[in-house]
Amino acid sequence: MIQTLLNQLNYGTILLLMLLESTVIPVPSELVVAPAAFAAAKGDLDVFLVVLFATIGADLGASINYFVALYVGRPVIYKFANSRWGKLCLLNQKKVEKSERYFDNHGVMATLTGRLVPGIRHLISIPAGLARMNYWKFLLYTTIGAGAWHSILAGMGWYLHSAVGDVSDEELAVIIKQYNHYIIIGIVAIVVLIVVYYIIKSKMKKEKRTDVQS
């Protein structure tokens, strides 16, 4: 079914696939948004609507994860992750725990930066639900993070059209995978800079409060 949707990209399938990608179903966003933007460069779609519908889908999928985690709790999440169905979704307890550690280390900002980190992106909403993070703040940060990621992928798809011209879907998928390696390195660097910025900002606030109290 997913392959059929990938072969018939439109705004509805983009939204649905990104909804699935933001839950626990392994749908590579690179092979959805970038090809859709490639099609937009040819005039078949509107690139801004591609990013919009992809981000709405991500918000919906992330919200599903958030509320499931909020209401069923950690034991049920772990049980599913270790189940046969969890393995079919390429999920396991270690991956969930990794997303929890990321959330614990970076706080609520993890819902923004986590959307840019491979292996964390589709799971970061689970620890947000477990921690009972304010939903509207969660949704805001998720929208910003997902929107940034989809904009980057859309930019790649648009650029590829001007760089390679019209190619088959199979050739495009191979090219996107090649470029995606460099994008991931760049994204990780950006996330590190954001995290460092907030750490420095937090330390400066603490020092300022200490100076005022003294």
Side-chain angles (χ1 to χ4, degrees):
M1 183 193 77
I2 290 176
Q3 187 58 51
T4 301
L5 293 173
L6 285 170
N7 292 335
Q8 299 175 3
L9 286 178
N10 55 51
Y11 301 125
T13 56
I14 291 168
L15 186 150
L16 177 58
L17 287 168
M18 289 302 90
L19 183 155
L20 295 175
E21 191 258 355
S22 286
T23 55
V24 294
I25 300 175
V27 179
S29 54
E30 305 94 296
L31 298 183
V32 177
V33 180
F38 189 91
K42 294 193 295 184
D44 298 336
L45 296 170
D46 183 296
V47 70
F48 296 105
L49 291 180
V50 166
V51 174
L52 174 63
F53 279 92
T55 303
I56 292 172
D59 283 345
L60 293 173
S63 294
I64 291 172
N65 273 6
Y66 172 92
F67 284 113
V68 168
L70 179 68
Y71 289 112
V72 306
R74 185 174 285 103
V76 177
I77 295 292
Y78 285 177
K79 186 175 181 180
F80 173 78
N82 292 323
S83 71
R84 182 166 64 89
W85 290 105
K87 288 180 173 59
L88 286 174
C89 293
L90 305 181
L91 193 63
N92 57 53
Q93 185 172 327
K94 286 185 178 179
K95 288 184 178 180
V96 178
E97 290 175 341
K98 181 180 178 182
S99 68
E100 289 189 85
R101 287 194 298 272
Y102 187 90
F103 185 87
D104 291 339
N105 291 336
H106 304 295
V108 294
M109 283 300 298
T111 56
L112 191 162
T113 58
R115 297 297 309 186
L116 304 173
V117 179
I120 295 291
R121 183 165 59 248
H122 65 299
L123 296 178
I124 195 63
S125 48
I126 292 176
L130 292 174
R132 298 183 176 275
M133 178 181 175
N134 178 275
Y135 174 70
W136 297 110
K137 182 179 289 187
F138 162 79
L139 186 62
L140 173 63
Y141 288 172
T142 298
T143 300
I144 295 172
W149 173 242
H150 295 147
S151 296
I152 291 168
L153 293 179
M156 179 176 71
W158 190 276
Y159 166 76
L160 285 177
H161 182 265
S162 63
V164 302
D166 292 334
V167 295
S168 67
D169 292 341
E170 291 76 14
E171 290 174 318
L172 179 60
V174 171
I175 294 170
I176 288 171
K177 287 179 180 178
Q178 291 173 343
Y179 275 79
N180 190 52
H181 175 72
Y182 299 103
I183 287 179
I184 289 174
I185 293 174
I187 290 298
V188 170
I190 291 172
V191 170
V192 169
L193 289 175
I194 292 173
V195 170
V196 169
Y197 167 76
Y198 277 98
I199 290 174
I200 293 174
K201 187 177 179 181
S202 176
K203 286 185 177 181
M204 289 177 66
K205 283 185 177 179
K206 287 181 180 178
E207 290 176 358
K208 189 174 181 180
R209 284 197 296 267
T210 302
D211 292 339
V212 170
Q213 290 173 356
S214 60

